[in-house]
Amino acid sequence: MSDSRETQRPGSRGPGSRVPRAALAVGAAVVIGAAATVTVAAWPDATGRPTGPAEAAWSEGAPSESARSDAKAAAPSSPGVSARPVTGPARSVPLVREQRPVGGQGWRPLASTRVVVAAGSEHALADEGRLLAGELGKRYAQGVAARPGDVELVLGAPGVAGVSRTPESYTVTTGDGRVRITGGDEAGVFYGTRTLKQAVRSGGGLTEGVLRDAPAKPRRGFALDTARKHFDAEWIEDRIREMGDLKLNEFGLHFSDDQGFRIASASHPEIVSESHLTHAEVRRIVALAASRHIRVIPEIDSPGHLGAVIAAHPDLQLRSVSGKPSRGAVDIANPKAARIVDELFAEYARLFRGTYWHLGGDEYRALTVDDPEATYPRLAREAKRKYGPRARVQDLATGWLNDRAAVIAGHGKTDVRAWNDGYFAGGVVDAPKSREVAYWTGKEIGARKPLEYLREGRRVLNVNDEYLYYVLGEPNTFRYPTGRRIYEEWHPRVLRGGEAVPARYDAQITGGQFAVWCDLHGAQTQDQVARGIRLPLFATAQKLWDPKKPALDWEGFKELAGEVE
């Protein structure tokens, strides 16, 4: 039960409470007049139009009626509330998409500052309020009126003019010595607190006026291969916290592959690697992610990349007509293979919250040869038995993924995706259009270009291995991605290589995901990985939030990244 008492957050001051740096203005983002008014319109894309979920509500040029109303509400604060004025736009990563400052002292945290959750929002926003209070080293209160110096969090606020109800959107209104953060949902309010926290770190506070922000893409992710290399729970939790501050909302956990199986299993303990996460650690990671509005998406890759399962069950391994074993691939004509995978699904569906699941589906060895039917006649016979005389091995593989999707849907996981090389053209069995395509490469045998999936009406997640793959040891043609290259060259429509698909398909591209793969697991330590992915992850977060050319050049963005941490 909520109450209106004021509380002090327990514990020592964390990194969020360090002394703010001096305010810094970004000349490219604002035009600061000598008197009072600064106007920043939504930055346009290549067509000159604002983009993203808030597009309909935002316009360039003169402020809208709601913006004028908000600016009036954010009138200059009372003299003396802030000892030194705060000027310039909020400096945060991702960069704020629209800000309309007005004249005034701005807001800085004071000794008396509290983080206040407004009456009616206590149940929804208590976690967000307590987190921000702890980061700023300030008191937390709920259900009481905000006073000068306070930060107020409000969910929805339908009576406030101009507050967007778009999911993950937020509005920050600064004036009269107060900051009010409102959001279209809880995630939006949380993102507003991230912007405020970073603005305090980078510039000391917020200029007066109205700030509106919303993401261009709904899926903004980071994926980690823990199968080939074990990462401890504390390291993963640190990445979750970083993701939250960058407004990323998906954490992909690839914990099963040829080299290892990295989460404890009660149903099949024989397949688990010595170094692994316990169920308690996974629950802790999932809970932390939820508190940062991040969904954890588990992946048990099949029917390839099951080497850890095959090591304990060698009778499941796929063999060619000559008897040669196919690395990591199970024989999908063997019912036992499906039974074990489905039993693992049932176990882990209870461990992970939500409706999301990754089926894998990539690099099945039977489909990486020139003539699958001649090389794997047992699979060819089973395909014809199940799906008719025209069926081929690709149909049996598609049917396998369809069956696994049906099984996991029975456990409540209805938002599923698979790698692009798990979808095939010209077969008698097809994947449903509702299944998302995670497009990672166009280098495999029989590779299909991204446009083929888009023309079929499918939704596509961008995991372009030219830009978004951090592969330990740089095997084959992989090179460690740089933040600069992502920042300057990549955006969500660049799905394969450096080529962008036409803008008319933008709505089908759900977002993107930066991924760490541990092919040569000893090439880097955990700490080296964390340092290596830092700037690429910052850049990815920026381009998923706002794909347009950023207002800052790379050097300016890199400097900002150092200020907001």
Side-chain angles (χ1 to χ4, degrees), residues 448-484:
R448 300 172 65 198
K449 292 185 177 181
L451 276 177
E452 293 189 40
Y453 303 92
L454 295 166
R455 286 169 180 158
E456 291 173 0
R458 299 187 184 277
R459 295 172 301 123
V460 176
L461 180 76
N462 190 324
V463 202
N464 186 333
D465 66 347
E466 284 284 319
Y467 291 90
L468 305 179
Y469 262 36
Y470 191 95
V471 185
L472 297 198
E474 300 183 308
N476 302 318
T477 60
F478 288 109
R479 295 295 178 266
Y480 292 127
T482 66
R484 182 171 198 150

Side-chain angles (χ1 to χ4, degrees), residues 434-446:
S434 59
R435 186 180 305 157
E436 188 177 44
V437 178
Y439 198 99
W440 70 282
T441 188
K443 300 171 184 174
E444 73 281 1
I445 293 175

Side-chain angles (χ1 to χ4, degrees), residues 245-261:
D245 282 355
L246 293 174
K247 303 182 178 75
L248 298 172
N249 65 2
E250 288 190 350
F251 175 54
L253 191 57
H254 178 92
F255 64 91
S256 168
D257 212 301
D258 297 341
Q259 295 83 352
F261 194 99

Side-chain angles (χ1 to χ4, degrees), residues 157-417:
V160 178
V163 174
S164 173
R165 302 304 296 271
T166 305
E168 298 189 298
S169 66
Y170 67 93
T171 301
V172 180
T173 305
T174 305
D176 197 24
R178 303 170 176 86
V179 176
R180 168 179 268 205
I181 300 174
T182 60
D185 56 13
E186 293 174 36
V189 175
F190 173 71
Y191 295 148
T193 69
R194 301 305 86 194
T195 295
L196 181 140
K197 169 188 169 181
Q198 292 187 6
V200 169
R201 287 184 172 183
S202 61
L206 289 169
T207 190
E208 303 211 9
V210 179
L211 177 162
R212 292 196 190 93
D213 209 4
K217 291 298 179 183
R219 304 198 193 283
R220 307 178 303 280
F222 168 62
L224 180 66
D225 167 19
T226 65
R228 296 177 178 90
K229 180 182 182 68
H230 175 65
F231 290 83
D232 61 49
E234 290 75 17
W235 189 94
I236 294 172
E237 288 168 345
D238 284 344
R239 305 290 80 71
I240 294 288
R241 294 184 185 96
E242 291 173 0
M243 289 176 64
D245 282 355
L246 293 174
K247 303 182 178 75
L248 298 172
N249 65 2
E250 288 190 350
F251 175 54
L253 191 57
H254 178 92
F255 64 91
S256 168
D257 212 301
D258 297 341
Q259 295 83 352
F261 194 99
R262 302 291 181 178
I263 297 179
S265 172
S267 62
H268 287 283
E270 75 280 1
I271 70 174
V272 178
S273 302
E274 181 178 356
S275 298
H276 62 268
L277 298 172
T278 66
H279 280 208
E281 287 173 324
V282 172
R283 290 190 189 97
R284 197 173 76 207
I285 289 166
V286 170
L288 176 64
S291 75
R292 265 62 172 179
H293 299 277
I294 297 167
R295 49 186 170 261
V296 180
I297 304 180
E299 179 190 359
I300 299 178
D301 204 347
S302 79
H305 293 282
L306 282 172
V309 174
I310 293 170
H313 299 274
D315 56 313
L316 299 184
Q317 187 158 38
L318 177 68
R319 295 180 179 274
S320 70
V321 66
S322 65
K324 181 181 178 180
S326 298
R327 184 171 182 263
V330 295
D331 180 355
I332 56 177
N334 184 343
K336 182 182 174 183
R339 186 165 61 250
I340 289 179
V341 171
D342 291 348
E343 288 167 354
L344 293 170
F345 279 9
E347 177 178 0
Y348 293 110
R350 295 190 295 270
L351 188 60
F352 291 94
R353 302 179 185 178
T355 60
Y356 291 84
W357 197 270
H358 198 314
L359 296 169
D362 63 309
E363 297 182 317
Y364 186 49
R365 299 289 181 177
L367 294 168
T368 61
V369 297
D370 291 333
D371 191 344
E373 285 68 37
T375 308
Y376 298 97
R378 172 177 162 81
L379 298 185
R381 290 193 297 271
E382 182 63 10
K384 294 180 186 301
R385 186 190 72 80
K386 288 190 72 173
Y387 302 114
R390 294 177 51 244
R392 294 174 289 166
V393 173
Q394 72 170 51
D395 297 301
L396 191 65
T398 300
W400 166 278
L401 278 191
N402 289 350
D403 290 345
R404 305 290 74 71
V407 169
I408 202 64
H411 297 289
K413 311 299 184 184
T414 53
D415 295 301
V416 296
R417 66 182 54 150

Side-chain angles (χ1 to χ4, degrees), residues 57-220:
W58 295 352
S59 61
E60 296 183 75
S64 64
E65 186 64 38
S66 63
R68 287 193 292 270
S69 174
D70 285 345
K72 184 177 179 181
S77 61
S78 304
V81 169
S82 178
R84 291 176 290 120
V86 180
T87 59
R91 285 174 61 79
S92 64
V93 178
L95 301 171
V96 171
R97 298 181 70 191
E98 180 188 353
Q99 187 167 1
R100 298 185 184 276
V102 297
Q105 288 288 98
W107 174 90
R108 294 178 186 274
L110 307 172
S112 61
T113 291
R114 304 172 302 171
V115 176
V116 178
V117 171
S121 298
E122 299 98 330
H123 179 72
L125 299 179
D127 289 345
E128 288 76 11
R130 290 192 175 98
L131 175 64
L132 181 63
E135 291 169 330
L136 297 178
K138 301 300 179 183
R139 291 190 299 275
Y140 169 78
Q142 58 185 30
V144 298
R147 61 197 184 201
D150 286 349
V151 178
E152 184 181 34
L153 309 185
V154 187
L155 183 63
V160 178
V163 174
S164 173
R165 302 304 296 271
T166 305
E168 298 189 298
S169 66
Y170 67 93
T171 301
V172 180
T173 305
T174 305
D176 197 24
R178 303 170 176 86
V179 176
R180 168 179 268 205
I181 300 174
T182 60
D185 56 13
E186 293 174 36
V189 175
F190 173 71
Y191 295 148
T193 69
R194 301 305 86 194
T195 295
L196 181 140
K197 169 188 169 181
Q198 292 187 6
V200 169
R201 287 184 172 183
S202 61
L206 289 169
T207 190
E208 303 211 9
V210 179
L211 177 162
R212 292 196 190 93
D213 209 4
K217 291 298 179 183
R219 304 198 193 283
R220 307 178 303 280

